Amino acid sequence: METFGNPILEDIQFNDDGTLKKSGKQNIKFYTRKFLDFRARPLLDEDGNQMYEIGPKGKKIPLFDIDPRTGIPYKDAFENTREMLRIETKGDTNIKDDYANELDRRIHFRHYKFFKEGKVPTGHPIEDFDFINPGVIVELHMLGVHVLEEVACMSDLECEQISDQPGYELRDIAKQWVTINSPQGLNQKQLKLEKENAELKRQLEAASGKRAERILPIEEPSMGGVEEPIRVMEMTHEEAAKSKPGRKRLVE
């Protein structure tokens, strides 16, 4: 399918019958957030108990402390904790991050159950890796596997239950990724990079030294000290006219 450069269309796939194929590449997370909220101040009796009035059908209706200036109850601030839901879909720039309602809890019951039980593992979500097919992501979620670190520790039985992709091969790839990107693996990569940089520096210094040896220094000719002025003989005009051309040196 042509995406026309739109990231929303990058992860859209169709079944053989032309229907839209559901993508398993979603990161669904329930969490809690604290808010500053307000509530009406209840009207209390002398003992500090909530006061009520009896309604038409005999139902107890709570009473509130009314502000005489506005005619509405006083408001007290308090800290309220709400359940939130964040959904990130691969290929979609829109991220849902809002209050979790009852419908969200039913649609994403498995994620909500892990959230309430506190069993959501920490690690790298399997939705972030392109080498895992969307169908396999759904299967892994059904097996209770949510992060790549868990994929690397899958049992042989779990590997055989995966049908859309070879489970053993997927586990081996996950093991290699975890090994390379673990603190020990990152340290080894850093040491290897430093060793390669040191070797390149040594080769560069050696090449620079050989080049400097091939270039011979330029020696300036020696002037041999200060040259003495040439002494000439003094001659009259008559003597100079009779002598041969050229400057006469005084021979000692």
Side-chain angles (χ1 to χ4, degrees):
M1 176 179 176
E2 178 61 40
T3 62
F4 303 101
N6 191 337
I8 298 178
L9 304 177
E10 290 181 356
D11 201 39
I12 294 180
Q13 300 179 3
F14 294 93
N15 298 314
D16 296 336
D17 57 356
T19 58
L20 185 64
K21 180 181 293 186
K22 294 183 179 180
S23 174
K25 296 188 178 181
Q26 273 191 336
N27 185 14
I28 302 172
K29 177 183 178 182
F30 284 92
Y31 65 100
T32 58
R33 180 185 294 177
K34 294 183 179 180
F35 295 90
L36 183 63
D37 211 339
F38 299 89
R39 57 190 170 193
R41 183 183 302 172
L43 184 62
L44 306 178
D45 58 15
E46 296 179 356
D47 297 332
N49 299 321
Q50 170 74 58
M51 298 182 63
Y52 297 90
E53 66 176 1
I54 305 301
K57 296 183 179 181
K59 186 178 181 180
K60 296 173 61 176
I61 301 175
L63 299 178
F64 299 96
D65 191 3
I66 305 299
D67 186 355
R69 296 173 300 176
T70 60
I72 61 176
Y74 288 103
K75 296 292 183 67
D76 294 330
F78 70 101
E79 188 178 68
N80 189 16
T81 302
R82 300 286 299 271
E83 291 182 350
M84 308 292 296
L85 173 62
R86 181 181 178 89
I87 300 178
E88 299 179 7
T89 304
K90 183 175 177 59
D92 193 345
T93 57
N94 298 319
I95 299 176
K96 178 181 178 180
D97 194 356
D98 203 351
Y99 300 120
N101 53 38
E102 191 61 29
L103 180 60
D104 294 330
R105 297 185 183 95
R106 292 184 179 183
I107 295 176
H108 309 289
F109 173 74
R110 179 179 51 81
H111 298 83
Y112 184 69
K113 179 182 178 182
F114 284 126
F115 162 69
K116 296 300 289 185
E117 294 177 353
K119 295 181 179 180
V120 179
T122 58
H124 298 80
I126 55 179
E127 292 85 358
D128 296 343
F129 299 92
D130 294 332
F131 62 84
I132 305 179
N133 297 336
V136 176
I137 292 178
V138 177
E139 294 182 23
L140 291 173
H141 283 317
M142 295 177 65
L143 294 174
V145 178
H146 307 282
V147 295
L148 196 67
E149 287 77 0
E150 290 180 319
V151 178
C153 299
M154 287 194 308
S155 64
D156 293 344
L157 179 60
E158 291 174 331
C159 292
E160 293 175 356
Q161 291 179 352
I162 298 175
S163 58
D164 198 23
Q165 197 172 351
Y168 293 100
E169 179 182 350
L170 187 63
R171 183 178 64 180
D172 293 340
I173 296 175
K175 284 183 179 180
Q176 295 177 17
W177 190 94
V178 172
T179 301
I180 294 174
N181 293 275
S182 63
Q184 294 81 6
L186 293 175
N187 189 27
Q188 292 179 0
K189 289 195 295 185
Q190 181 67 23
L191 293 176
K192 182 179 179 181
L193 183 61
E194 293 178 356
K195 183 178 180 181
E196 292 177 353
N197 291 338
E199 179 65 19
L200 290 175
K201 184 178 180 181
R202 186 190 64 79
Q203 294 177 2
L204 182 60
E205 292 177 351
S208 301
K210 292 180 180 179
R211 183 179 179 184
E213 292 176 358
R214 291 197 299 266
I215 300 177
L216 299 177
I218 301 176
E219 297 182 0
E220 296 183 358
S222 177
M223 300 303 296
V226 180
E227 185 178 359
E228 296 182 357
I230 300 175
R231 293 179 293 175
V232 298
M233 298 176 60
E234 295 183 359
M235 303 175 63
T236 63
H237 292 287
E238 291 79 5
E239 292 175 344
K242 294 180 181 180
S243 63
K244 295 181 180 180
R247 192 166 52 175
K248 305 301 182 183
R249 294 175 179 263
L250 179 59
V251 179
E252 296 180 353

